[in-house]
Amino acid sequence: MKMQKRKFRIGELAEKLELERFVVRFWEKEFNIKTKRSQGSQRFYDENDLRKFTLIKRLLYEEGFTIVGAKKKLKEKSSTKPESIIASQKTTMEDTVKTVATEQENEKIEHLSQQIIDLKDKLRKLREML
């Protein structure tokens, strides 16, 4: 069984990510990703770099973050430590009510957001008719 390649050149990384090379170079600068370089200054990326770029791609393309938002999210992710469980902490009925209220508020917000999108579509169609 062949072992997986551990180092990638920029073209290979871009191909794996399904991105253009200039996007990889841009993200490298924007997200301050330090790459290893050969004596000829050619970039080399490893599996950790691939994971970072994959996460950046997901945040930007799938989750709709801006670059600034993605930077904040990555910073939060790198600074968070696993939460410890406190055995003596009690859950009260008041905590449960707050959680349910928050879920209901989120549902209302999602519903209102969808209504706004629908209204925008209707306005766009009305404008086309005029």
Side-chain angles (χ1 to χ4, degrees), residues 3-117:
M3 289 200 46
Q4 201 172 30
K5 193 173 182 182
R6 293 280 185 226
K7 300 275 184 188
F8 311 104
R9 291 182 178 180
I10 191 166
E12 295 169 303
L13 181 70
E15 189 175 307
K16 285 181 180 293
L17 294 167
E18 298 178 350
L19 296 170
E20 295 292 329
R21 292 176 188 177
F22 73 89
V23 175
V24 174
R25 286 190 291 271
F26 177 74
W27 288 355
E28 184 180 319
K29 288 178 186 173
E30 281 296 311
F31 292 93
N32 201 23
I33 298 172
K34 304 291 183 208
T35 59
K36 292 101 188 144
R37 297 209 180 220
S38 69
Q39 289 180 342
S41 294
Q42 191 169 31
R43 292 172 170 91
F44 283 97
Y45 303 91
D46 59 21
E47 295 290 332
N48 287 332
D49 295 326
L50 176 61
R51 281 191 288 277
K52 285 179 197 173
F53 281 103
T54 302
L55 177 58
I56 291 168
K57 181 180 177 184
R58 191 185 87 233
L59 290 172
L60 295 175
Y61 291 4
E62 295 172 20
E63 296 185 28
F65 280 82
T66 61
I67 288 179
V68 173
K71 285 180 184 179
K72 287 180 183 177
K73 186 74 169 178
L74 290 171
K75 189 175 182 180
E76 288 172 12
K77 192 173 186 102
S78 67
S79 67
T80 56
K81 297 174 183 161
E83 294 181 17
S84 57
I85 298 172
I86 303 171
S88 63
Q89 187 175 5
K90 293 182 180 178
T91 304
T92 64
M93 187 58 131
E94 185 178 309
D95 294 334
T96 306
V97 170
K98 285 180 185 176
T99 302
V100 170
T102 304
E103 289 172 1
Q104 289 172 345
E105 289 169 356
N106 288 338
E107 287 175 11
K108 285 180 183 178
I109 290 170
E110 286 180 35
H111 180 71
L112 288 172
S113 296
Q114 187 58 48
Q115 284 182 323
I116 291 171
I117 291 169

